[in-house]
Amino acid sequence: MAKVTYVEHNGKEHTIDVAEGLTLMEGAVKNMVPGIDADCGGACACATCMIYVPEEWLAKIPGKEDMEETMLDFCEHTQANSRLSCQIKVTPELDGIRVSLPESQH
Amino acid sequence: MSTSGTNGIVIIGAGQAASQAVMSLRSEGYEGPIRMIGDEAEPPYQRPPLSKKFLAGEIGFDRVELKPVEFYANAGCELLLSTRVAAIERAKKVVLTSDGREIAYDKLIIATGSRVREINVPGFDLEGVYYLRSVADVHEIQKNFKPGAKMVVVGGGYIGLEVAAVAKKHDISVTVLETAERVMARVVDPIVSHFYERIHREEGVIIRTGVTVAGFEGEGGRITHVVSGEGESFPCTFVVVGIGIIPNTELAQDAGVTVENGIVVDEMTRTSDPDIYAAGDCTNHPNGVYGRRLRLESVHNAIEQGKTAAAAITGKDKPYNQVPWFWSDQYDLKLQIAGLSTGYTEAVTRGNPAEGRSFAVFYLKDGVLIAVDAVNRAPEFMMARQLIAKQAKLDPKRLADESISMKEVANA
Ligand SMILES: Cc1cc2nc3c(=O)[nH]c(=O)nc-3n(C[C@H](O)[C@H](O)[C@H](O)COP(=O)(O)OP(=O)(O)OC[C@H]3O[C@@H](n4cnc5c(N)ncnc54)[C@H](O)[C@@H]3O)c2cc1C
Ligand code: FES
């Protein structure tokens, strides 16, 4: 279990206990956090599950695979700290993480 | 916001489009009652994993369901599962369930999806012949994943090929029989078909094209052989048939709602009855990008029409008018398809499909990009999605030239 805080684009926060092994995407979608569409359900095929991860947390997460990297490269709201939340598995080290959501996934 | 009347909204079907409609109705501010009636035992779930990770046993149902079941109660949506709708009575504005209940609606959303096309050959009812549409189907198929098992897949479409890839990982011997001269013939160019045939063969799958199944033979009521029209016999311990789907339109048709290769809706998902909407696999809808009507079988289509129906019911116009897209996972290959290639005049290949595992095919119609098939090629897929929507005219030479990045191709 890890406590994850999702911050919507309008500043609204959702703090959720996400079970280990689930992805950050699933933690949001299963708990009604708006702002992550996840159309493909985690197949790394749609790029509608983007989040921004603060620097200090990025170091605790395995890096992007090619597919994720290139998908992000073509999304509208991508920043240097963008990740696809369906590609990030929740581990105990992520307890306390805060991630923020883009203005839109399209 | 509420619709007129107090009966609220009834949704027939509890799948991808239905689940999206509930979410969107609430986010659009609808506060009245919602009832969702579905004939499966499970709350709405994703079907793509049924031929991928869920079939492989890599993930459980908790990761396949779209929302935890509590979501619906919290959202004020009553779920009537394992319940089939037998008829719609438009004059009374009620639906009748097969167990004799009458449920009234102010607005109705038909989201009944599609069902598998059954194979009509001798022996069709032998034990060990399966289809794949539901979680229940997966459980049955998985019982056959045993050492020494031999599977024959009838139909070389996405679903059949995905099942072949999963079974191969489980060390099952796999033969795919396809009537057409190549796999996935209905949707992709021969370049892509031949690429997938090569990969499956390299993985140890036997792919036989131009083979029509004439019958199933068995012993003691259980399948042992698939027999072709040419009299060839393929021994097996089980069979998975994937020869296409049929949209579930009978309820609408019997109620006198216009049906023509799908329930006919407009870009706002409205049917011929002003109180009835339809979304997902069961619809035939207009698409402005292509200037014609489409019936699609994809998650994206179900999600977007679910959103549009919810918006329309709450008085907002959010026309559904997008570039269709789809994906398929086989082995380590991610195929992403955007657009529809029907009617293309030129296919342009980027990368080398004869070697390796990554390339893309662009489909142009009189110079305008109308579709892409991208295998492990996210940039090509992502860029093409945008370019197809813009109906961009592209230079085939630049598209094929890998020394020019996709962004440069797009900006030319
Ligand atoms: C094995 C498999 C793999 C797939 N892979 C992909 C993929 O990789 N990518 C992709 O984009 N798409 C994929 N698809 C297609 C995608 O899953 C469908 O397009 C999508 O589920 C359609 O959503 P829907 O809501 O229209 O229908 P469904 O999700 O099928 O939901 C309809 C529901 O209505 C129920 N129903 C029907 N009639 C009645 C009735 N009279 N009363 C009560 N309930 C009724 C049905 O039983 C069903 O539960 C796949 C489909 C399958 C089967
Ligand atoms: S959910 Fe589709 S890419 Fe993450």
Side-chain angles (χ1 to χ4, degrees), chain B residues 12-18 37-40 47-48 50-52 83-85 111-114 132-133 159 162 248 251 279-282 297-300 302 325-328:
Chain B
I12 311 178
Q16 186 94 44
I37 311 169
D39 59 2
E40 292 184 73
R47 292 183 201 279
L50 303 187
S51 50
K52 306 178 182 80
T83 304
R84 197 167 166 76
V85 172
T112 44
S114 51
L132 180 45
R133 180 80 198 168
I159 292 182
E162 287 182 347
N248 291 323
L251 279 179
D281 279 12
C282 64
E297 302 151 19
S298 80
V299 163
H300 172 248
W325 77 273
F326 188 86
W327 77 96
S328 171

mmCIF file of all heavy atoms in Angstrom, chain B residues 12-18 37-40 47-48 50-52 83-85 111-114 132-133 159 162 248 251 279-282 297-300 302 325-328, ligand 1:
data_model
loop_
_atom_site.group_PDB
_atom_site.id
_atom_site.type_symbol
_atom_site.label_atom_id
_atom_site.label_comp_id
_atom_site.label_asym_id
_atom_site.label_seq_id
_atom_site.Cartn_x
_atom_site.Cartn_y
_atom_site.Cartn_z
ATOM 1 N N ILE B 12 -29.418 -0.205 -21.528
ATOM 2 C CA ILE B 12 -29.444 -1.651 -21.806
ATOM 3 C C ILE B 12 -28.040 -2.074 -22.218
ATOM 4 O O ILE B 12 -27.468 -1.526 -23.164
ATOM 5 C CB ILE B 12 -30.421 -2.018 -22.940
ATOM 6 C CG1 ILE B 12 -31.784 -1.366 -22.702
ATOM 7 C CG2 ILE B 12 -30.564 -3.527 -23.045
ATOM 8 C CD1 ILE B 12 -32.784 -1.662 -23.825
ATOM 9 N N GLY B 13 -27.517 -3.078 -21.508
ATOM 10 C CA GLY B 13 -26.142 -3.505 -21.735
ATOM 11 C C GLY B 13 -25.278 -2.945 -20.624
ATOM 12 O O GLY B 13 -25.504 -1.812 -20.167
ATOM 13 N N ALA B 14 -24.325 -3.740 -20.160
ATOM 14 C CA ALA B 14 -23.437 -3.291 -19.083
ATOM 15 C C ALA B 14 -22.001 -3.536 -19.524
ATOM 16 O O ALA B 14 -21.292 -4.376 -18.987
ATOM 17 C CB ALA B 14 -23.749 -4.023 -17.784
ATOM 18 N N GLY B 15 -21.597 -2.781 -20.546
ATOM 19 C CA GLY B 15 -20.242 -2.939 -21.066
ATOM 20 C C GLY B 15 -19.499 -1.621 -21.082
ATOM 21 O O GLY B 15 -19.776 -0.722 -20.281
ATOM 22 N N GLN B 16 -18.574 -1.503 -22.023
ATOM 23 C CA GLN B 16 -17.693 -0.339 -22.099
ATOM 24 C C GLN B 16 -18.480 0.968 -22.311
ATOM 25 O O GLN B 16 -18.258 1.944 -21.605
ATOM 26 C CB GLN B 16 -16.724 -0.549 -23.265
ATOM 27 C CG GLN B 16 -15.650 0.499 -23.377
ATOM 28 C CD GLN B 16 -14.358 0.119 -22.681
ATOM 29 O OE1 GLN B 16 -13.880 -0.997 -22.777
ATOM 30 N NE2 GLN B 16 -13.783 1.068 -21.964
ATOM 31 N N ALA B 17 -19.394 0.979 -23.253
ATOM 32 C CA ALA B 17 -20.131 2.214 -23.555
ATOM 33 C C ALA B 17 -21.068 2.569 -22.401
ATOM 34 O O ALA B 17 -21.203 3.736 -22.030
ATOM 35 C CB ALA B 17 -20.928 2.051 -24.851
ATOM 36 N N ALA B 18 -21.697 1.550 -21.815
ATOM 37 C CA ALA B 18 -22.641 1.773 -20.717
ATOM 38 C C ALA B 18 -21.930 2.396 -19.520
ATOM 39 O O ALA B 18 -22.401 3.376 -18.929
ATOM 40 C CB ALA B 18 -23.293 0.448 -20.320
ATOM 41 N N ILE B 37 -28.908 -2.334 -17.113
ATOM 42 C CA ILE B 37 -29.351 -3.732 -17.150
ATOM 43 C C ILE B 37 -28.421 -4.520 -18.056
ATOM 44 O O ILE B 37 -28.310 -4.224 -19.248
ATOM 45 C CB ILE B 37 -30.792 -3.826 -17.703
ATOM 46 C CG1 ILE B 37 -31.712 -2.817 -16.995
ATOM 47 C CG2 ILE B 37 -31.332 -5.245 -17.561
ATOM 48 C CD1 ILE B 37 -33.073 -2.662 -17.655
ATOM 49 N N GLY B 38 -27.746 -5.514 -17.496
ATOM 50 C CA GLY B 38 -26.803 -6.290 -18.304
ATOM 51 C C GLY B 38 -27.011 -7.781 -18.107
ATOM 52 O O GLY B 38 -27.327 -8.231 -17.000
ATOM 53 N N ASP B 39 -26.818 -8.554 -19.161
ATOM 54 C CA ASP B 39 -27.106 -9.988 -19.044
ATOM 55 C C ASP B 39 -25.913 -10.809 -18.549
ATOM 56 O O ASP B 39 -26.038 -11.998 -18.300
ATOM 57 C CB ASP B 39 -27.647 -10.547 -20.371
ATOM 58 C CG ASP B 39 -26.678 -10.359 -21.525
ATOM 59 O OD1 ASP B 39 -25.572 -9.830 -21.304
ATOM 60 O OD2 ASP B 39 -27.025 -10.753 -22.653
ATOM 61 N N GLU B 40 -24.747 -10.186 -18.404
ATOM 62 C CA GLU B 40 -23.626 -10.942 -17.848
ATOM 63 C C GLU B 40 -23.647 -10.826 -16.319
ATOM 64 O O GLU B 40 -24.300 -9.944 -15.760
ATOM 65 C CB GLU B 40 -22.303 -10.404 -18.393
ATOM 66 C CG GLU B 40 -22.135 -10.672 -19.874
ATOM 67 C CD GLU B 40 -20.768 -10.212 -20.372
ATOM 68 O OE1 GLU B 40 -19.780 -10.887 -20.057
ATOM 69 O OE2 GLU B 40 -20.703 -9.191 -21.063
ATOM 70 N N ARG B 47 -12.972 -5.589 -22.555
ATOM 71 C CA ARG B 47 -12.797 -6.844 -23.291
ATOM 72 C C ARG B 47 -11.384 -7.056 -23.859
ATOM 73 O O ARG B 47 -10.954 -8.206 -23.995
ATOM 74 C CB ARG B 47 -13.834 -6.958 -24.404
ATOM 75 C CG ARG B 47 -15.215 -7.132 -23.822
ATOM 76 C CD ARG B 47 -16.327 -7.337 -24.822
ATOM 77 N NE ARG B 47 -17.561 -6.988 -24.135
ATOM 78 C CZ ARG B 47 -18.210 -7.810 -23.314
ATOM 79 N NH1 ARG B 47 -17.789 -9.038 -23.104
ATOM 80 N NH2 ARG B 47 -19.295 -7.408 -22.684
ATOM 81 N N PRO B 48 -10.661 -5.995 -24.218
ATOM 82 C CA PRO B 48 -9.341 -6.251 -24.826
ATOM 83 C C PRO B 48 -8.454 -7.237 -24.042
ATOM 84 O O PRO B 48 -7.841 -8.115 -24.665
ATOM 85 C CB PRO B 48 -8.720 -4.854 -24.918
ATOM 86 C CG PRO B 48 -9.905 -3.961 -25.104
ATOM 87 C CD PRO B 48 -10.990 -4.562 -24.235
ATOM 88 N N LEU B 50 -9.192 -9.796 -22.555
ATOM 89 C CA LEU B 50 -9.701 -11.179 -22.631
ATOM 90 C C LEU B 50 -8.911 -12.020 -23.622
ATOM 91 O O LEU B 50 -8.849 -13.240 -23.505
ATOM 92 C CB LEU B 50 -11.184 -11.205 -23.033
ATOM 93 C CG LEU B 50 -12.173 -10.434 -22.171
ATOM 94 C CD1 LEU B 50 -13.585 -10.732 -22.622
ATOM 95 C CD2 LEU B 50 -11.994 -10.729 -20.693
ATOM 96 N N SER B 51 -8.315 -11.371 -24.616
ATOM 97 C CA SER B 51 -7.488 -12.127 -25.562
ATOM 98 C C SER B 51 -6.011 -11.801 -25.366
ATOM 99 O O SER B 51 -5.183 -12.153 -26.193
ATOM 100 C CB SER B 51 -7.919 -11.807 -27.002
ATOM 101 O OG SER B 51 -7.997 -10.413 -27.204
ATOM 102 N N LYS B 52 -5.714 -11.098 -24.264
ATOM 103 C CA LYS B 52 -4.328 -10.681 -24.017
ATOM 104 C C LYS B 52 -3.945 -11.089 -22.588
ATOM 105 O O LYS B 52 -3.916 -12.288 -22.286
ATOM 106 C CB LYS B 52 -4.196 -9.165 -24.249
ATOM 107 C CG LYS B 52 -4.705 -8.711 -25.625
ATOM 108 C CD LYS B 52 -4.614 -7.201 -25.813
ATOM 109 C CE LYS B 52 -5.168 -6.729 -27.151
ATOM 110 N NZ LYS B 52 -6.635 -6.620 -27.204
ATOM 111 N N THR B 83 -29.319 -10.036 -16.005
ATOM 112 C CA THR B 83 -30.707 -9.731 -16.387
ATOM 113 C C THR B 83 -30.732 -9.337 -17.853
ATOM 114 O O THR B 83 -29.992 -8.461 -18.272
ATOM 115 C CB THR B 83 -31.249 -8.542 -15.551
ATOM 116 O OG1 THR B 83 -31.103 -8.872 -14.167
ATOM 117 C CG2 THR B 83 -32.704 -8.264 -15.872
ATOM 118 N N ARG B 84 -31.587 -10.001 -18.592
ATOM 119 C CA ARG B 84 -31.651 -9.738 -20.019
ATOM 120 C C ARG B 84 -32.884 -8.914 -20.352
ATOM 121 O O ARG B 84 -33.961 -9.167 -19.832
ATOM 122 C CB ARG B 84 -31.702 -11.084 -20.754
ATOM 123 C CG ARG B 84 -31.359 -10.963 -22.194
ATOM 124 C CD ARG B 84 -31.098 -12.258 -22.905
ATOM 125 N NE ARG B 84 -31.132 -11.951 -24.320
ATOM 126 C CZ ARG B 84 -30.155 -11.334 -24.970
ATOM 127 N NH1 ARG B 84 -29.051 -10.990 -24.339
ATOM 128 N NH2 ARG B 84 -30.271 -11.045 -26.241
ATOM 129 N N VAL B 85 -32.699 -7.930 -21.198
ATOM 130 C CA VAL B 85 -33.863 -7.181 -21.671
ATOM 131 C C VAL B 85 -34.441 -7.946 -22.857
ATOM 132 O O VAL B 85 -33.729 -8.290 -23.799
ATOM 133 C CB VAL B 85 -33.481 -5.747 -22.086
ATOM 134 C CG1 VAL B 85 -34.658 -5.045 -22.761
ATOM 135 C CG2 VAL B 85 -33.029 -4.957 -20.863
ATOM 136 N N ALA B 111 -26.911 0.040 -25.380
ATOM 137 C CA ALA B 111 -25.449 -0.186 -25.454
ATOM 138 C C ALA B 111 -25.207 -1.686 -25.378
ATOM 139 O O ALA B 111 -24.500 -2.184 -24.499
ATOM 140 C CB ALA B 111 -24.746 0.553 -24.321
ATOM 141 N N THR B 112 -25.829 -2.379 -26.312
ATOM 142 C CA THR B 112 -25.846 -3.845 -26.253
ATOM 143 C C THR B 112 -24.646 -4.512 -26.927
ATOM 144 O O THR B 112 -24.546 -5.740 -26.934
ATOM 145 C CB THR B 112 -27.145 -4.373 -26.913
ATOM 146 O OG1 THR B 112 -27.356 -3.648 -28.138
ATOM 147 C CG2 THR B 112 -28.344 -4.155 -26.016
ATOM 148 N N GLY B 113 -23.766 -3.715 -27.510
ATOM 149 C CA GLY B 113 -22.531 -4.296 -28.062
ATOM 150 C C GLY B 113 -22.784 -5.249 -29.213
ATOM 151 O O GLY B 113 -23.664 -5.050 -30.046
ATOM 152 N N SER B 114 -21.997 -6.307 -29.253
ATOM 153 C CA SER B 114 -22.124 -7.270 -30.331
ATOM 154 C C SER B 114 -21.900 -8.670 -29.777
ATOM 155 O O SER B 114 -21.495 -8.827 -28.636
ATOM 156 C CB SER B 114 -21.110 -6.947 -31.427
ATOM 157 O OG SER B 114 -19.831 -6.798 -30.859
ATOM 158 N N LEU B 132 -14.767 -16.369 -28.105
ATOM 159 C CA LEU B 132 -14.203 -15.484 -27.086
ATOM 160 C C LEU B 132 -14.854 -14.114 -27.147
ATOM 161 O O LEU B 132 -14.599 -13.324 -28.061
ATOM 162 C CB LEU B 132 -12.686 -15.373 -27.295
ATOM 163 C CG LEU B 132 -11.914 -14.480 -26.321
ATOM 164 C CD1 LEU B 132 -12.329 -14.712 -24.883
ATOM 165 C CD2 LEU B 132 -10.417 -14.716 -26.474
ATOM 166 N N ARG B 133 -15.719 -13.865 -26.167
ATOM 167 C CA ARG B 133 -16.324 -12.541 -26.066
ATOM 168 C C ARG B 133 -16.387 -12.089 -24.606
ATOM 169 O O ARG B 133 -16.392 -10.918 -24.306
ATOM 170 C CB ARG B 133 -17.746 -12.578 -26.665
ATOM 171 C CG ARG B 133 -18.500 -11.261 -26.639
ATOM 172 C CD ARG B 133 -18.088 -10.317 -27.765
ATOM 173 N NE ARG B 133 -18.494 -8.949 -27.462
ATOM 174 C CZ ARG B 133 -18.076 -7.884 -28.149
ATOM 175 N NH1 ARG B 133 -17.270 -8.033 -29.181
ATOM 176 N NH2 ARG B 133 -18.460 -6.686 -27.805
ATOM 177 N N ILE B 159 -8.409 -11.220 -32.955
ATOM 178 C CA ILE B 159 -8.671 -11.974 -31.732
ATOM 179 C C ILE B 159 -8.050 -13.355 -31.834
ATOM 180 O O ILE B 159 -7.349 -13.795 -30.925
ATOM 181 C CB ILE B 159 -10.185 -12.013 -31.430
ATOM 182 C CG1 ILE B 159 -10.634 -10.586 -31.072
ATOM 183 C CG2 ILE B 159 -10.506 -12.991 -30.309
ATOM 184 C CD1 ILE B 159 -12.084 -10.438 -30.704
ATOM 185 N N GLU B 162 -4.313 -13.035 -31.463
ATOM 186 C CA GLU B 162 -3.914 -12.736 -30.077
ATOM 187 C C GLU B 162 -4.000 -13.992 -29.219
ATOM 188 O O GLU B 162 -3.119 -14.270 -28.398
ATOM 189 C CB GLU B 162 -4.807 -11.621 -29.499
ATOM 190 C CG GLU B 162 -4.482 -10.256 -30.097
ATOM 191 C CD GLU B 162 -5.303 -9.106 -29.534
ATOM 192 O OE1 GLU B 162 -6.323 -9.360 -28.848
ATOM 193 O OE2 GLU B 162 -4.942 -7.952 -29.783
ATOM 194 N N ASN B 248 -25.628 -6.358 -31.795
ATOM 195 C CA ASN B 248 -26.887 -6.718 -31.128
ATOM 196 C C ASN B 248 -27.926 -5.629 -31.366
ATOM 197 O O ASN B 248 -28.054 -4.688 -30.586
ATOM 198 C CB ASN B 248 -26.661 -6.913 -29.624
ATOM 199 C CG ASN B 248 -25.837 -8.152 -29.335
ATOM 200 O OD1 ASN B 248 -25.991 -9.176 -30.012
ATOM 201 N ND2 ASN B 248 -24.967 -8.075 -28.354
ATOM 202 N N LEU B 251 -33.236 -5.871 -30.417
ATOM 203 C CA LEU B 251 -34.166 -5.161 -29.532
ATOM 204 C C LEU B 251 -34.674 -3.898 -30.216
ATOM 205 O O LEU B 251 -35.878 -3.606 -30.189
ATOM 206 C CB LEU B 251 -33.449 -4.740 -28.241
ATOM 207 C CG LEU B 251 -33.266 -5.771 -27.145
ATOM 208 C CD1 LEU B 251 -32.502 -5.124 -25.982
ATOM 209 C CD2 LEU B 251 -34.616 -6.285 -26.669
ATOM 210 N N ALA B 279 -25.119 3.572 -28.316
ATOM 211 C CA ALA B 279 -23.679 3.810 -28.270
ATOM 212 C C ALA B 279 -22.903 2.503 -28.350
ATOM 213 O O ALA B 279 -23.357 1.476 -27.845
ATOM 214 C CB ALA B 279 -23.319 4.551 -26.968
ATOM 215 N N GLY B 280 -21.748 2.550 -28.996
ATOM 216 C CA GLY B 280 -20.834 1.407 -29.014
ATOM 217 C C GLY B 280 -20.945 0.543 -30.258
ATOM 218 O O GLY B 280 -21.392 0.983 -31.322
ATOM 219 N N ASP B 281 -20.539 -0.712 -30.110
ATOM 220 C CA ASP B 281 -20.496 -1.674 -31.219
ATOM 221 C C ASP B 281 -21.818 -1.794 -31.971
ATOM 222 O O ASP B 281 -21.839 -2.171 -33.143
ATOM 223 C CB ASP B 281 -20.187 -3.089 -30.679
ATOM 224 C CG ASP B 281 -18.708 -3.325 -30.418
ATOM 225 O OD1 ASP B 281 -17.936 -2.357 -30.434
ATOM 226 O OD2 ASP B 281 -18.338 -4.499 -30.195
ATOM 227 N N CYS B 282 -22.937 -1.540 -31.287
ATOM 228 C CA CYS B 282 -24.244 -1.797 -31.909
ATOM 229 C C CYS B 282 -24.688 -0.683 -32.853
ATOM 230 O O CYS B 282 -25.731 -0.791 -33.474
ATOM 231 C CB CYS B 282 -25.313 -2.032 -30.830
ATOM 232 S SG CYS B 282 -25.617 -0.605 -29.767
ATOM 233 N N GLU B 297 -15.970 -1.594 -34.171
ATOM 234 C CA GLU B 297 -15.852 -2.512 -33.045
ATOM 235 C C GLU B 297 -14.607 -2.119 -32.290
ATOM 236 O O GLU B 297 -13.531 -2.663 -32.518
ATOM 237 C CB GLU B 297 -15.731 -3.955 -33.565
ATOM 238 C CG GLU B 297 -16.918 -4.376 -34.425
ATOM 239 C CD GLU B 297 -16.543 -5.422 -35.481
ATOM 240 O OE1 GLU B 297 -15.504 -6.092 -35.344
ATOM 241 O OE2 GLU B 297 -17.312 -5.560 -36.450
ATOM 242 N N SER B 298 -14.697 -1.102 -31.469
ATOM 243 C CA SER B 298 -13.498 -0.672 -30.747
ATOM 244 C C SER B 298 -13.848 0.033 -29.452
ATOM 245 O O SER B 298 -14.922 0.613 -29.302
ATOM 246 C CB SER B 298 -12.649 0.254 -31.612
ATOM 247 O OG SER B 298 -13.186 1.560 -31.601
ATOM 248 N N VAL B 299 -12.906 -0.032 -28.530
ATOM 249 C CA VAL B 299 -13.056 0.613 -27.228
ATOM 250 C C VAL B 299 -13.224 2.124 -27.396
ATOM 251 O O VAL B 299 -14.096 2.741 -26.784
ATOM 252 C CB VAL B 299 -11.818 0.289 -26.367
ATOM 253 C CG1 VAL B 299 -11.710 1.240 -25.181
ATOM 254 C CG2 VAL B 299 -11.878 -1.157 -25.893
ATOM 255 N N HIS B 300 -12.391 2.718 -28.220
ATOM 256 C CA HIS B 300 -12.450 4.168 -28.413
ATOM 257 C C HIS B 300 -13.840 4.607 -28.853
ATOM 258 O O HIS B 300 -14.406 5.568 -28.320
ATOM 259 C CB HIS B 300 -11.390 4.568 -29.458
ATOM 260 C CG HIS B 300 -11.470 5.988 -29.890
ATOM 261 N ND1 HIS B 300 -11.843 6.361 -31.154
ATOM 262 C CD2 HIS B 300 -11.252 7.136 -29.227
ATOM 263 C CE1 HIS B 300 -11.830 7.690 -31.238
ATOM 264 N NE2 HIS B 300 -11.478 8.177 -30.084
ATOM 265 N N ALA B 302 -16.674 3.055 -28.362
ATOM 266 C CA ALA B 302 -17.639 2.862 -27.265
ATOM 267 C C ALA B 302 -17.510 3.986 -26.243
ATOM 268 O O ALA B 302 -18.511 4.540 -25.776
ATOM 269 C CB ALA B 302 -17.418 1.499 -26.608
ATOM 270 N N TRP B 325 -9.603 4.607 -33.813
ATOM 271 C CA TRP B 325 -8.302 3.952 -33.603
ATOM 272 C C TRP B 325 -8.479 2.688 -32.789
ATOM 273 O O TRP B 325 -9.476 2.483 -32.115
ATOM 274 C CB TRP B 325 -7.283 4.906 -33.000
ATOM 275 C CG TRP B 325 -7.443 5.149 -31.539
ATOM 276 C CD1 TRP B 325 -8.236 6.099 -30.958
ATOM 277 C CD2 TRP B 325 -6.797 4.439 -30.474
ATOM 278 N NE1 TRP B 325 -8.131 6.014 -29.595
ATOM 279 C CE2 TRP B 325 -7.259 5.010 -29.270
ATOM 280 C CE3 TRP B 325 -5.875 3.382 -30.423
ATOM 281 C CZ2 TRP B 325 -6.825 4.551 -28.027
ATOM 282 C CZ3 TRP B 325 -5.457 2.927 -29.187
ATOM 283 C CH2 TRP B 325 -5.932 3.520 -28.008
ATOM 284 N N PHE B 326 -7.462 1.837 -32.839
ATOM 285 C CA PHE B 326 -7.559 0.471 -32.344
ATOM 286 C C PHE B 326 -6.148 -0.032 -32.060
ATOM 287 O O PHE B 326 -5.194 0.492 -32.606
ATOM 288 C CB PHE B 326 -8.178 -0.376 -33.469
ATOM 289 C CG PHE B 326 -8.530 -1.772 -33.081
ATOM 290 C CD1 PHE B 326 -9.754 -2.046 -32.508
ATOM 291 C CD2 PHE B 326 -7.633 -2.818 -33.300
ATOM 292 C CE1 PHE B 326 -10.085 -3.345 -32.155
ATOM 293 C CE2 PHE B 326 -7.962 -4.113 -32.945
ATOM 294 C CZ PHE B 326 -9.199 -4.377 -32.364
ATOM 295 N N TRP B 327 -6.033 -1.013 -31.204
ATOM 296 C CA TRP B 327 -4.705 -1.598 -31.039
ATOM 297 C C TRP B 327 -4.831 -3.111 -30.913
ATOM 298 O O TRP B 327 -5.909 -3.648 -30.684
ATOM 299 C CB TRP B 327 -4.001 -1.033 -29.807
ATOM 300 C CG TRP B 327 -4.488 -1.595 -28.515
ATOM 301 C CD1 TRP B 327 -3.937 -2.627 -27.803
ATOM 302 C CD2 TRP B 327 -5.635 -1.183 -27.760
ATOM 303 N NE1 TRP B 327 -4.678 -2.867 -26.668
ATOM 304 C CE2 TRP B 327 -5.720 -2.000 -26.619
ATOM 305 C CE3 TRP B 327 -6.612 -0.183 -27.946
ATOM 306 C CZ2 TRP B 327 -6.732 -1.861 -25.667
ATOM 307 C CZ3 TRP B 327 -7.615 -0.060 -26.998
ATOM 308 C CH2 TRP B 327 -7.669 -0.882 -25.883
ATOM 309 N N SER B 328 -3.704 -3.810 -31.090
ATOM 310 C CA SER B 328 -3.679 -5.253 -30.902
ATOM 311 C C SER B 328 -2.301 -5.639 -30.384
ATOM 312 O O SER B 328 -1.287 -5.162 -30.896
ATOM 313 C CB SER B 328 -3.945 -5.963 -32.234
ATOM 314 O OG SER B 328 -3.712 -7.357 -32.097
HETATM 315 C C1 LIG C 1 -11.503 -10.659 -27.056
HETATM 316 C C2 LIG C 1 -11.703 -9.238 -27.482
HETATM 317 C C3 LIG C 1 -10.584 -8.410 -27.650
HETATM 318 C C4 LIG C 1 -10.734 -7.085 -28.035
HETATM 319 N N1 LIG C 1 -9.627 -6.292 -28.169
HETATM 320 C C5 LIG C 1 -9.762 -4.980 -28.472
HETATM 321 C C6 LIG C 1 -8.626 -4.113 -28.540
HETATM 322 O O1 LIG C 1 -7.479 -4.525 -28.359
HETATM 323 N N2 LIG C 1 -8.830 -2.798 -28.800
HETATM 324 C C7 LIG C 1 -10.082 -2.283 -29.009
HETATM 325 O O2 LIG C 1 -10.219 -1.077 -29.224
HETATM 326 N N3 LIG C 1 -11.183 -3.084 -28.963
HETATM 327 C C8 LIG C 1 -11.049 -4.414 -28.695
HETATM 328 N N4 LIG C 1 -12.170 -5.225 -28.631
HETATM 329 C C9 LIG C 1 -13.493 -4.651 -28.951
HETATM 330 C C10 LIG C 1 -14.081 -3.906 -27.758
HETATM 331 O O3 LIG C 1 -13.959 -4.671 -26.599
HETATM 332 C C11 LIG C 1 -15.549 -3.604 -28.029
HETATM 333 O O4 LIG C 1 -15.600 -2.798 -29.180
HETATM 334 C C12 LIG C 1 -16.217 -2.882 -26.860
HETATM 335 O O5 LIG C 1 -16.286 -3.717 -25.741
HETATM 336 C C13 LIG C 1 -17.600 -2.410 -27.246
HETATM 337 O O6 LIG C 1 -18.254 -1.860 -26.143
HETATM 338 P P1 LIG C 1 -19.850 -1.884 -26.042
HETATM 339 O O7 LIG C 1 -20.208 -1.197 -24.787
HETATM 340 O O8 LIG C 1 -20.426 -1.431 -27.314
HETATM 341 O O9 LIG C 1 -20.218 -3.423 -25.942
HETATM 342 P P2 LIG C 1 -19.833 -4.495 -24.846
HETATM 343 O O10 LIG C 1 -18.635 -4.079 -24.064
HETATM 344 O O11 LIG C 1 -19.791 -5.790 -25.547
HETATM 345 O O12 LIG C 1 -21.081 -4.469 -23.861
HETATM 346 C C14 LIG C 1 -22.384 -4.840 -24.245
HETATM 347 C C15 LIG C 1 -23.045 -5.596 -23.119
HETATM 348 O O13 LIG C 1 -24.455 -5.661 -23.346
HETATM 349 C C16 LIG C 1 -24.923 -6.948 -23.014
HETATM 350 N N5 LIG C 1 -26.218 -7.179 -23.668
HETATM 351 C C17 LIG C 1 -26.454 -7.388 -24.989
HETATM 352 N N6 LIG C 1 -27.784 -7.568 -25.213
HETATM 353 C C18 LIG C 1 -28.394 -7.445 -24.015
HETATM 354 C C19 LIG C 1 -29.755 -7.526 -23.579
HETATM 355 N N7 LIG C 1 -30.750 -7.747 -24.449
HETATM 356 N N8 LIG C 1 -30.026 -7.383 -22.264
HETATM 357 C C20 LIG C 1 -29.026 -7.149 -21.380
HETATM 358 N N9 LIG C 1 -27.728 -7.053 -21.730
HETATM 359 C C21 LIG C 1 -27.415 -7.207 -23.031
HETATM 360 C C22 LIG C 1 -23.786 -7.829 -23.499
HETATM 361 O O14 LIG C 1 -23.851 -9.123 -22.946
HETATM 362 C C23 LIG C 1 -22.578 -7.036 -23.006
HETATM 363 O O15 LIG C 1 -22.280 -7.336 -21.677
HETATM 364 C C24 LIG C 1 -12.042 -6.569 -28.256
HETATM 365 C C25 LIG C 1 -13.156 -7.403 -28.094
HETATM 366 C C26 LIG C 1 -13.010 -8.720 -27.717
HETATM 367 C C27 LIG C 1 -14.215 -9.587 -27.550
#
